[in-house]
Amino acid sequence: MTGAARAGAGPDRPARAQVAVRREPVDFDLILAGGGLAGRSLAYFLSRHPGVGEARILLIDDSRHYQHRSIVYWYDGVLPLRLTPSASYTTLAVDTGAGLRTTSLHRHTLSVTSSQRIFECLDGVIDADPRITRLDARTARIDAQQDRVSVVLADGRSFTAGHCCDSTAPPSRVAPPLVMTGEIRHVRTTRASFDPSVATFMDFRPGDGEQPDRFHCLLPVSSREALLETGRITPGGAPALARPSDAAAAEYLRRACGVADFSTLTVQRGVIPLGLRRPSSKGRHLYVGAASGIVKATTGYGFTRILHQAERIASSFAAGGSPRSPEASRRFRYYDKPVLGLWLHDPDAAVRFMRAAFASVDADLVLDFLDERTTPLQERTLLGSMPVGMLLRPRFWR
């Protein structure tokens, strides 16, 4: 669901639930608490960086609660990971309010794959590196001191290191202002129904009885099979889905594709918090991945953002022995705040704003903007063609 990738949880477990431990010293140079996408990506880039030397790295990987998911992402140029996607697209059908408009991507590629494929790609490098010890365990507590950091596991074992990169959970117990809830449904039709070269991206056109905050993405993997994402953006304390999503999926396939007869192969469900404040790191304890607020606040996409963050942290550790996360852009936090307020207080206006983004300029510029890779001049071009006046109400800035 997860530039960017948006994640939706699914029911599968990894083929390998236990990993043999090569060695178990008590002291390390770096501990990676959490072996999901962020922890694995960081271990992968550390392993491949020539400047890491003989650093001892501990990856604490709790595999008991894995739920593999489909990952939707886009990239410009070469992805920093040798990954074969399930499907890729350079043509998008986007919702402009007056219907779907087909637009071409000239620099980006939109792709979909599974977290299981991503993990297999990362694990092949991680497990071949003798400097990395992997423990299948759960982190219970992290205590940062002035010169060391201690990590205590749920079974009572304790390890120390010069630094700890933590992706286990967002540190704040405060509910996020918004959540994105939904599912990704893998469907198969009885006849050719989809164009495998075109992805429908964030279609907000409502069906009968649907709320304005619901959207659909259709990602064909063949002429008869597709991944259909049904999502909803709501306040943090709101119910997940007011209407059964299986009924919403069936209505969308009938209305948008003329499909009445289909079967559901798998269903993945998930919840993504939006708008969590980026926490400050405490000395030698550094938050990474979703726990660091790297997921894009207004869309829920995070896959390529997590990869690029991991690359930068690995480079900083290799250069000076101290992991450092890239600074968040104040300019883009400024852009995100009123859009989050729009979703919170006026979902109808938020939908109009999102539609205007893809209706006004080329899609590549929009994706660059969502990746926070545009210049102020490009942002002036983009925002100048959008109804930014609706963002100026004071309540959207609180």
Side-chain angles (χ1 to χ4, degrees):
M1 278 173 70
T2 153
R6 196 160 56 230
D12 301 330
R13 291 184 179 274
R16 174 171 49 82
Q18 297 288 335
V19 178
V21 178
R22 297 188 186 93
R23 50 189 165 84
E24 196 175 307
V26 175
D27 193 64
F28 292 86
D29 296 293
L30 180 63
I31 295 176
L32 310 179
L37 177 59
R40 275 177 160 85
S41 297
L42 185 48
Y44 171 87
F45 289 115
L46 287 166
S47 180
R48 292 174 61 89
H49 201 293
V52 171
E54 297 302 315
R56 295 171 302 168
I57 301 167
L58 174 62
L59 175 62
I60 302 171
D61 180 16
D62 184 5
S63 66
R64 295 172 301 165
H65 305 294
Y66 280 153
Q67 292 182 314
H68 280 301
R69 64 198 70 176
S70 294
I71 304 290
V72 182
Y73 61 99
W74 61 80
Y75 59 96
D76 179 1
V78 178
L79 195 71
L81 191 63
R82 291 186 176 180
L83 183 63
T84 302
S86 304
S88 292
Y89 316 90
T90 55
T91 303
L92 303 182
V94 296
D95 177 11
T96 65
L100 293 182
R101 177 174 70 90
T102 301
T103 183
S104 296
L105 296 174
H106 301 289
R107 292 182 290 102
H108 293 83
T109 301
L110 182 74
S111 296
V112 59
T113 189
S114 70
S115 61
Q116 186 167 12
R117 284 191 181 185
I118 297 171
F119 282 16
E120 289 170 354
C121 179
L122 298 171
D123 288 346
V125 173
I126 295 169
D127 291 338
D129 191 335
R131 298 169 298 181
I132 300 177
T133 299
R134 191 204 297 253
L135 290 182
D136 192 347
R138 182 173 65 85
T139 300
R141 190 175 74 252
I142 300 173
D143 298 319
Q145 293 102 35
Q146 184 174 359
D147 59 345
R148 305 293 290 168
V149 60
S150 299
V151 178
V152 181
L153 305 185
D155 60 14
R157 285 178 292 173
S158 179
F159 301 91
T160 61
H163 297 85
C164 175
C165 292
D166 180 9
S167 63
T168 55
S172 175
R173 299 295 180 185
V174 178
L178 294 165
V179 294
M180 182 179 293
T181 59
E183 68 175 29
I184 295 181
R185 184 178 295 260
H186 188 175
V187 300
R188 176 183 292 161
T189 62
T190 57
R191 57 180 178 81
S193 305
F194 310 117
D195 181 350
S197 67
V198 180
T200 301
F201 191 66
M202 299 192 78
D203 184 355
F204 288 98
R205 294 177 298 169
D208 295 336
E210 285 192 339
Q211 300 298 315
D213 50 18
R214 190 191 294 270
F215 65 88
H216 301 276
C217 296
L218 184 67
L219 306 165
V221 294
S222 73
S223 61
R224 291 183 51 210
E225 291 187 20
L227 297 175
L228 175 61
E229 179 181 1
T230 302
R232 188 181 177 207
I233 300 174
T234 59
L241 288 173
R243 183 184 185 208
S245 49
D246 54 349
E251 180 176 339
Y252 182 80
L253 288 171
R254 176 189 57 77
R255 172 169 48 88
C257 309
V259 172
D261 190 7
F262 70 93
S263 57
T264 298
L265 305 182
T266 60
V267 179
Q268 309 163 26
R269 294 184 174 90
V271 179
I272 301 173
L274 300 179
L276 286 173
R277 289 189 176 182
R278 193 163 184 169
S280 59
S281 298
K282 299 178 180 178
R284 297 176 177 272
H285 180 192
L286 177 69
Y287 293 111
V288 299
S292 72
I294 196 66
V295 173
K296 182 64 175 173
T298 51
T299 64
Y301 285 94
F303 173 52
T304 55
R305 292 168 63 82
I306 288 173
L307 288 184
H308 292 308
Q309 181 195 54
E311 270 192 303
R312 297 275 296 275
I313 293 174
S315 294
S316 67
F317 180 78
S322 178
R324 292 288 180 266
S325 182
E327 290 293 327
S329 167
R330 293 183 179 180
R331 191 169 80 253
F332 284 97
R333 288 206 307 267
Y334 179 84
Y335 295 146
D336 286 343
K337 187 175 182 63
V339 177
L340 289 170
L342 204 62
W343 278 114
L344 190 62
H345 299 291
D346 194 344
D348 283 301
V351 169
R352 294 197 302 273
F353 188 81
M354 295 296 289
R355 284 170 167 164
F358 283 97
S360 56
V361 295
D362 68 278
D364 286 287
L365 180 57
V366 177
L367 296 183
D368 279 337
F369 180 74
L370 294 178
D371 267 346
E372 301 186 0
R373 295 171 54 222
T374 46
T375 66
L377 181 59
Q378 290 173 318
E379 291 147 24
R380 180 178 178 181
T381 299
L382 174 61
L383 297 175
S385 63
M386 297 174 62
V388 293
M390 65 174 60
L391 302 178
L392 301 180
R393 283 173 275 180
R395 61 176 176 167
F396 295 162
W397 293 86
R398 294 171 187 165

